[in-house]
Amino acid sequence: MHIDELRSRVDAELPRVRRDLQDLVRIESVSADPARFAEVQRSAEAVAALLRAEDFEDVRIVSAREDGRAPAVLAHKPAPQGQPTVLLYAHHDVQPENDHDEWDSPPFEPTERDGRLYARGAADDKAGIVAHLAAIRALGDDLRVGVTMFIEGEEEVGSDTLPDLLAEHRDYLAADVIVIADSGNWDIGVPALTTSLRGLVRVDIAVRTLTHAVHSGMWGGLVPDALMTLSRLITSLHDDRGNVSVAGLHAGPAADVDYPEKRLLAESGIAPGVEFIGSGTAVERLWTKPALSITGVDAPKVDGASNTLVPLARARISLRIAPGDTTANATECLRAHLEAHVPWGAELTFTVVDTGEPTQIDASGPAYDAARSAFADAWDGVEPIDMGVGGSIPFIAEFLDTFPQASVLVTGVEDPDTRAHGANEGLHLAEFERVCLAETLLLHRLASPTT
């Protein structure tokens, strides 16, 4: 089938796909909010209804939780004889919208402005769901591969039960190719395949220097307070250039991709005059080297602070680890560094909050060739780049471990200004159309030639 015919088919489906997306984002499927569990369930039911309307077989709403929370939707179209099966993944749960005053339009009312559709979940990741639907609808009776849909309901809260779901439904979900629509593209007009993601180790640390608070005038200068102790410990985690100074962490080279400084300044949100930290290329620092941030500190408020030495101070450390490392190694390296550097004999407590393994994908073989050609055609001759992601999607490692023979393609609808997880999350509509066409071409090209 010629690309022009498929392009016409996708164009014809886009108005209905857009309506389906708008209906989905009006459902407040915030998985982190127990008060909105009914909305998450309603979202799953809406997705299931869309799949039933496309004649998927055995559409199921499943959960690995006894209380039925985090509902995932499974559906299947069997493969014709001798043809591969493709697993299409997305998730229907969304992040909390937080302060409505920070949004330029209501967060759950889809609103178009300047070529973008704004709403929570408009990009991350309900657009991923309807991009899959667009490809299925465009191909119609000409779909020549098997398709299994897996639309998760707890991605935004860590996919805690995903390993159980994969184990329980392993035979149902088994596929030759897995397309995970939860990432993005390099830039507007430049497609990408995500081939690496950093992992995550989050820990809480606490230092104690006193059994109870004491007067700062009476004991200051002799007894260290916990905040100054914690501060010195935190400063040991980076060298003067801002590189992570924890020994034993892995780092590696990144793809030869130029990240223009103008884009870095605009997209990072860095304040005027502030310097970037670390050594190496920008993409190495963002994709293939460890990064460590302090994301929270427990301390008395400045307003109302008394003249006492603080006995206990806590901080949360977020350590992004490079592809090629493991969470077990990174955790122990971080623990050893903190124990070696805690000053003045202070008591240190180290508690692991959560972890997620990094991912490195060998993006070679027929499925990746088909994806690259599909992307290049959908973007009018612009070849896709192999992109790393500094953030973490730990569940990708679960798919790789569960289905080691499958080719895993990580794609998505996001662009540098999507603002996923933040206020004014927006889907670039022209790029979304290209995503829909690219997936249609991919499914068409994954089919083996018929005789």
Side-chain angles (χ1 to χ4, degrees):
M1 192 181 307
H2 194 273
I3 183 175
D4 290 340
E5 181 178 349
L6 290 176
R7 189 187 301 272
S8 295
R9 290 188 182 192
V10 171
D11 289 344
E13 293 294 341
L14 284 172
R16 182 159 64 116
V17 168
R18 167 84 173 264
R19 290 194 297 270
D20 291 336
L21 175 58
Q22 292 178 168
D23 289 343
L24 287 177
V25 300
R26 290 187 177 102
I27 302 173
E28 300 183 16
S29 52
V30 180
S31 52
D33 183 359
R36 287 188 273 194
F37 166 64
E39 287 288 277
V40 179
Q41 184 67 35
R42 188 162 73 94
S43 178
E45 292 167 356
V47 171
L50 289 171
L51 297 178
R52 291 190 186 100
E54 301 307 319
D55 296 324
F56 276 86
E57 299 179 3
D58 192 18
V59 179
R60 312 176 185 179
I61 297 177
V62 301
S63 175
R65 297 185 184 275
E66 292 183 0
D67 59 8
R69 292 179 182 271
V73 184
L74 310 183
H76 184 64
K77 282 180 179 283
Q81 183 67 32
Q83 295 291 355
T85 294
V86 183
L87 174 64
L88 302 178
Y89 170 95
H91 62 87
H92 68 91
D93 66 318
V94 300
Q95 281 282 325
E97 72 279 20
N98 300 318
D99 188 352
H100 286 217
D101 290 340
E102 295 181 358
W103 289 74
D104 295 332
S105 53
F108 292 102
E109 181 53 44
T111 305
E112 183 177 348
R113 296 191 302 274
D114 300 323
R116 284 186 181 271
L117 185 69
Y118 291 92
R120 173 60 84 229
D124 184 20
D125 185 30
K126 292 178 178 179
I129 300 171
V130 298
H132 293 327
L133 279 173
I136 298 298
R137 290 171 177 172
L139 288 167
D141 293 338
D142 294 308
L143 178 67
R144 296 189 295 117
V145 297
V147 172
T148 301
M149 299 286 281
F150 180 17
I151 311 300
E152 192 188 358
E154 62 170 347
E155 194 276 340
E156 298 293 9
V157 289
S159 299
D160 288 346
T161 67
L162 179 63
D164 295 332
L165 283 175
L166 293 179
E168 182 178 350
H169 303 282
R170 180 172 185 153
D171 292 342
Y172 186 103
L173 297 171
D176 302 287
V177 178
I178 301 173
V179 179
I180 296 176
D182 194 26
S183 186
N185 291 300
W186 176 239
D187 201 358
I188 300 298
V190 183
L193 286 169
T194 297
T195 58
S196 71
L197 301 101
R198 290 193 293 200
L200 174 66
V201 174
R202 289 200 305 166
V203 303
D204 287 346
I205 61 170
V207 293
R208 179 177 288 278
T209 57
L210 290 153
T211 57
H212 58 84
V214 297
H215 194 285
S216 62
M218 298 293 293
W219 294 104
L222 180 65
V223 176
D225 69 79
L227 276 175
M228 63 186 290
T229 305
L230 177 65
S231 298
R232 287 180 67 92
L233 182 57
I234 287 173
T235 59
S236 75
L237 294 166
H238 293 88
D239 65 19
D240 290 343
R241 289 286 302 275
N243 297 296
V244 178
S245 58
V246 176
L249 298 177
H250 179 78
D256 185 16
V257 176
D258 178 48
Y259 205 144
E261 184 175 2
K262 184 176 180 180
R263 273 189 61 191
L264 283 169
L265 293 171
E267 293 166 12
S268 67
I270 196 167
V274 177
E275 299 176 358
F276 291 119
I277 61 174
S279 303
T281 68
V283 293
E284 285 174 342
R285 283 176 274 174
L286 291 171
W287 299 347
T288 60
K289 295 184 69 174
L292 187 148
S293 305
I294 307 302
T295 59
V297 175
D298 287 343
K301 294 182 179 180
V302 172
D303 293 340
S306 63
N307 287 323
T308 54
L309 301 184
V310 176
L312 177 72
R314 298 173 65 237
R316 175 158 294 180
I317 297 174
S318 175
L319 174 62
R320 302 287 174 168
I321 63 175
D325 211 338
T326 66
T327 57
N329 173 69
T331 301
E332 289 312 306
C333 289
L334 180 58
R335 186 198 306 271
H337 177 97
L338 292 167
E339 289 176 348
H341 288 81
V342 62
W344 305 311
E347 175 187 323
L348 173 69
T349 303
F350 181 98
T351 304
V352 177
V353 177
D354 53 19
T355 63
E357 297 294 338
T359 300
Q360 182 71 56
I361 298 173
D362 177 13
S364 61
Y368 301 99
D369 294 342
R372 289 188 174 96
S373 71
F375 276 55
D377 286 342
W379 268 264
D380 300 320
V382 178
E383 295 288 337
I385 70 165
D386 286 354
M387 185 176 79
V389 172
S392 307
I393 310 180
F395 70 77
I396 294 176
E398 299 290 346
F399 280 98
L400 291 167
D401 290 343
T402 305
F403 305 110
Q405 303 306 314
S407 298
V408 178
L409 309 176
V410 183
T411 67
V413 302
E414 296 180 20
D415 65 82
D417 199 31
T418 291
R419 305 184 191 184
H421 297 199
N424 296 312
E425 175 184 344
L427 173 70
H428 193 284
L429 293 169
E431 289 296 280
F432 174 67
E433 292 179 16
R434 296 186 182 101
V435 169
C436 293
L437 176 58
E439 186 160 318
T440 303
L441 293 169
L442 173 62
L443 294 182
H444 180 64
R445 293 172 184 178
L446 285 173
S448 301
T450 55
T451 57

